[in-house]
Amino acid sequence: MFKDNEQQPEGFSVPLSEALDNLAFNDAGLVPVIAQQHDTGEVLMFAWMNRAAIEETLATGQVCYYSRSRKTLWRKGESSGQTQTLKALRVDCDGDVLLASVEQTGAACHTGRRDCFFWKLDNDTARIDKSPLIDPKDLYDH
């Protein structure tokens, strides 16, 4: 559906259910999602969503992911208070990746850092180049 309609003009639309039916979910029923701060473009994190997480996110405006380790929906900030409010949810041209434009409250990473991309690689080292905003013990100690 996405590929078939990529040459349609701006304003073309399909029902949400049709778009969700045509997402390229993997064998586990998940699609990758990149979370990006809406006003700065800062890439905050990478996660997964299933259809239920997508539908909940769109219905509530609060970002919900699917936790592969817990095998359940994971409402961002539910235990840490570090929430993500949805500004826009986009699908790439192939229908196989989502981009969540969000308003991030505090740290997005479970390490207490603003984002999950704090390891910087160069020719001969991998170096941490960002400090935590909050002690990770304090994130989940409510």
Side-chain angles (χ1 to χ4, degrees):
M1 191 258 349
F2 294 103
K3 206 91 167 119
D4 294 340
N5 289 304
E6 64 188 18
Q7 297 303 316
Q8 295 293 339
E10 183 176 342
F12 174 81
S13 66
V14 299
L16 177 62
S17 60
E18 182 179 345
L20 296 182
D21 287 346
N22 285 279
L23 286 177
F25 292 102
N26 68 15
D27 292 342
L30 304 174
V31 63
V33 57
I34 299 164
Q36 182 178 42
Q37 177 65 28
H38 76 97
D39 53 355
T40 65
E42 175 186 19
V43 176
L44 300 168
M45 56 180 282
F46 168 88
W48 298 91
M49 286 182 167
N50 62 8
R51 188 176 181 131
I54 295 168
E55 290 171 341
E56 181 175 317
T57 296
L58 292 171
T60 66
Q62 295 301 307
V63 181
C64 176
Y65 298 107
Y66 182 82
S67 170
R68 294 178 303 159
S69 59
R70 290 177 263 174
K71 297 184 178 15
T72 189
L73 292 180
W74 159 42
R75 292 158 186 93
K76 183 69 175 156
E78 162 176 75
S79 57
S80 70
Q82 311 295 297
T83 61
Q84 288 179 347
T85 302
L86 185 70
K87 297 297 183 177
L89 190 60
R90 297 182 173 274
V91 181
D92 81 327
C93 59
D94 296 320
D96 61 1
V97 177
L98 301 177
L99 177 64
S101 179
V102 304
E103 176 66 41
Q104 174 68 48
T105 301
C109 185
H110 75 280
T111 66
R113 289 174 174 86
R114 173 72 177 165
D115 64 72
C116 296
F117 300 97
F118 55 87
W119 282 99
K120 184 174 182 183
L121 307 178
D122 63 26
N123 291 336
D124 59 356
T125 62
R127 171 176 60 86
I128 293 176
D129 70 349
K130 298 175 185 173
S131 298
L133 301 175
I134 185 171
D135 186 322
K137 289 180 251 155
D138 294 337
L139 282 175
Y140 305 101
D141 230 13
H142 290 26

